[in-house]
Amino acid sequence: MTERYLQMMEINEDVFDEKRLEIENRIKNLVWTVSKDYCLEAKPDADAFMRSKDAAFYDAIKQGAFAYYYDKEEFSMYIVKKIYCEADEQALMNLAQMAIDMAVHLKITEERPGVEQIRRRAFEDVLDQDFHKLVSSLPGKVKAALMRGSLTGDWSSERRISWAVDKIRSLENAGDTMQIIETVDELYNSLIDREFEKKHGTLEHVLAVTMEELAGYDWNDFMEEEAAEDFLEQYLEQISNRMTATGEEDPEEQQKRKRRASTVILNKEDIDKMYSYMELNFGKSYLSEADQKKADRKLCRGAHADCSLYYTEGILKNPVKVNAQYVNAKKQADRNRLLYHNSRQVTKRNIEIMTNELRHSLIQRSEIETISSDYGQLVPSRLWKAGRCEPRKLFEKLNKKDNSDFVVEILMDASGSQRGRQSQVALQGYIISAALCNVQIPHRVMGFCTFWDYTVMQLFRDYDDPREASGRIFEYNTTANNRDGLAIRASGDSLLERPEENKILIVLSDGRPNDVIVNRPGSRNPRTYSGEYAVSDTAFEVRRLRKEGIFVLGVFAGREKDLAAEKRIFGRDFAYIRQIGNFSNVVGLYLKKLLEWE
């Protein structure tokens, strides 16, 4: 059956597009034939067919076989729950793909012997096309070793992956879906993230995640195609289709998928519901409609035309109703406070160090100094100079420096790319705020993210709020995208309206500004806000604020590979915090320098 399909599907690239529907239908039929279930959802990857028709057919065979021999829904739900608990999607998917192949290949070849040849040719194609890409990562090396072993019978491999190869091979006799889940989970926690259980819990904890929690989560960042609703259902389907893939995704196709995911097409009905959706998911705005429009007219210009700002105190502070998003935000706030509770000594020490640094600098500014003046107390010993020098040299007066002319804004990136660091970023923001409270410097703490064309500015504490308000920083919760340039522009505008002479903006970010295009009727459809364009715009906003007299510090809370972008945005004034224990020393030193600056 499968050999006949291959012969029928010989096709060249010139007629690929017109034959796409035929290819997709035949791949679907293959899935249904193997699974013996003609109601099974199947979304064929016709583009994969052009890279390797054998790999495309073997993917379809695996998809049908896995649905027939195991519980496809149970396994895909595990994958989604593990990602919800902050597992790396791509690494987890690679392990899942290998495990599924090993679990089904003997069963399906026993029933359909011709599949073995298709599998071999698929592996040969993948190793030929993607070998260098595979061996660039640990999961890829495991996949390459498994494919090579299946082709040659040589299962030897380097020591650090040999146990993983043996573990996956043991699934040839997997009795049920849970055995596959347990193996993938053990491999991920040992091979990819050895701290996962400590930070996020055991397999039992992962499987205990409820549908309510999943439904309240923003899967937007993981979607291949953007949509206004049913994110969870679509993401589950996406995972289900990808987990039986054999080859590595083509770089060009990755770019296509990113472009699809970076554009949101809205109709009139979507637009009419947009503001109420923002209220439901981010809490009511504290600005009046008139003030909101005024802020948009003033700030949403240039690269941010067609964008809007949405100011809120958050869904926990001002909800429309207790929905899934509210529940999810509350659970994240609990996790943030748990990290604070478990790190109390380190946090307390950081606050003390930073407070002492700031207090010492403020005391120096408060010291009374004696300066020459043209009025004040006459100095008798200088009377002989009368008529021979300027009058100001005959008098002295006491001068007390002003220690209350500072204001600080802390701006925290609350986009989905910070998902794995939510509690750590919240703790960093709290440490700075607590130290500033101790020395009575007015400061505001804001979080920002972007959903559709709204950049959400969430207020955790305002400039003159009491000390207790700093505790609301633990309500920090990440979601969606980030338009850093607009958020920095908005924060700078607020600082410029403050009466204090010295204004400081501290931005906690990951150096990855990234937003979608919202293509609404009548819009100017701006460029995709990502990559070089977004980094350049964000750097421009930082430079503009510095010219306006605002001191801007970037605190890097991201991956090391994004450091170059962070340096471009903030120049020399940025801090890279590898460990929370060193946070106060680095940031405190910068603030101390500013407080002592003349």
Side-chain angles (χ1 to χ4, degrees), residues 1-2 27-37 40 42 57-72 99-112 115 119 174 177 180 240 243-244:
M1 176 269 297
T2 49
I27 293 174
K28 281 183 183 178
N29 284 327
L30 185 54
V31 173
W32 292 333
T33 301
V34 174
S35 67
K36 301 180 178 65
D37 180 2
L40 184 68
F57 275 109
Y58 186 53
D59 290 350
I61 292 165
K62 279 190 296 181
Q63 189 172 352
F66 190 66
Y68 181 70
Y69 294 113
Y70 298 99
D71 190 331
K72 180 182 173 185
I100 287 173
D101 170 69
M102 202 56 67
V104 302
H105 88 97
L106 286 183
K107 291 180 172 65
I108 191 63
T109 52
E110 185 177 342
E111 183 179 337
R112 303 174 186 274
V115 169
R119 182 176 185 253
T177 310
I180 303 174
S240 182
M243 67 190 188
T244 50

Side-chain angles (χ1 to χ4, degrees), residues 212-494:
E212 231 182 21
E213 291 173 300
L214 295 177
Y217 194 65
D218 180 17
W219 296 101
N220 218 4
D221 304 320
F222 298 96
M223 296 299 294
E224 291 180 356
E225 296 180 16
E226 197 80 35
E229 54 187 359
D230 298 329
F231 287 129
L232 176 59
E233 183 180 337
Q234 292 178 54
Y235 186 57
L236 274 166
E237 182 183 341
Q238 179 179 306
I239 287 293
S240 182
N241 289 318
R242 288 177 58 204
M243 67 190 188
T244 50
T246 301
E248 298 293 286
E249 190 174 31
D250 181 65
E252 188 176 329
E253 186 56 31
Q254 283 182 351
Q255 291 304 314
K256 286 181 183 177
R257 181 157 62 85
K258 286 178 181 177
R259 285 195 293 271
R260 286 197 300 267
S262 68
T263 304
V264 184
I265 299 175
L266 300 179
N267 55 35
K268 186 177 184 303
E269 185 181 352
D270 293 328
I271 294 168
D272 291 341
K273 296 189 298 185
M274 189 184 293
Y275 195 83
S276 61
Y277 186 89
M278 297 300 296
E279 288 186 320
L280 280 169
N281 288 274
F282 297 99
K284 296 177 183 176
S285 175
Y286 58 79
L287 288 186
S288 66
E289 185 178 350
D291 287 341
Q292 178 68 66
K293 288 180 179 178
K294 182 180 177 183
D296 288 348
R297 283 194 301 270
K298 183 178 182 182
L299 300 169
C300 298
R301 295 173 286 101
H304 312 292
D306 280 333
C307 296
S308 301
L309 287 159
Y310 188 82
Y311 290 88
T312 176
E313 292 181 284
I315 194 170
L316 296 182
K317 175 81 176 201
N318 202 359
V320 174
K321 64 178 182 179
V322 178
N323 54 10
Q325 285 76 15
Y326 178 94
V327 172
N328 185 55
K330 190 173 186 308
K331 289 188 175 181
Q332 182 58 48
D334 291 340
R335 286 193 283 267
N336 295 343
R337 291 189 176 98
L338 180 61
L339 177 64
Y340 168 66
H341 177 79
N342 292 338
S343 313
R344 275 180 301 180
Q345 293 304 316
V346 174
T347 303
K348 182 180 178 183
R349 181 63 183 151
N350 269 268
I351 293 170
E352 287 176 352
I353 291 172
M354 191 177 292
T355 299
N356 291 335
E357 292 278 11
L358 298 179
R359 186 170 285 139
H360 176 73
S361 299
L362 289 173
I363 288 172
Q364 282 190 321
R365 289 186 64 85
S366 301
E367 288 177 350
I368 298 174
E369 60 180 354
T370 303
I371 61 172
S372 297
S373 177
D374 55 1
Y375 66 93
Q377 185 175 356
L378 183 65
V379 182
S381 61
R382 297 180 184 173
L383 285 174
W384 67 271
K385 295 183 180 180
R388 297 185 179 92
C389 67
E390 297 177 16
R392 66 182 177 86
K393 294 186 177 180
L394 301 177
F395 299 88
E396 285 182 347
K397 72 172 184 176
L398 300 179
N399 182 54
K400 182 178 180 181
K401 295 180 182 178
D402 185 2
N403 68 350
S404 61
D405 59 350
F406 283 89
V407 63
V408 177
E409 174 129 352
I410 303 164
L411 183 63
M412 303 160 65
D413 176 0
S415 66
S417 61
Q418 295 280 45
R419 183 171 286 110
R421 299 176 289 273
Q422 292 179 84
S423 298
Q424 290 85 354
V425 174
L427 195 58
Q428 289 176 351
Y430 178 79
I431 288 170
I432 302 174
S433 179
L436 293 172
C437 283
N438 287 343
V439 294
Q440 299 180 339
I441 291 179
H443 63 283
R444 185 169 77 164
V445 184
M446 302 283 288
F448 74 94
C449 68
T450 302
F451 186 81
W452 286 342
D453 60 358
Y454 281 96
T455 289
V456 180
M457 303 292 290
Q458 181 174 348
L459 176 66
F460 295 109
R461 66 154 287 141
D462 213 343
Y463 295 110
D464 301 309
D465 280 349
R467 174 189 299 272
E468 296 74 30
S470 296
R472 287 196 53 233
I473 296 172
F474 293 116
E475 294 176 10
Y476 171 78
N477 183 33
T478 64
T479 186
N481 303 294
N482 52 306
R483 187 170 278 266
D484 295 40
L486 180 55
I488 289 172
R489 180 186 292 181
S491 287
D493 184 68
S494 298

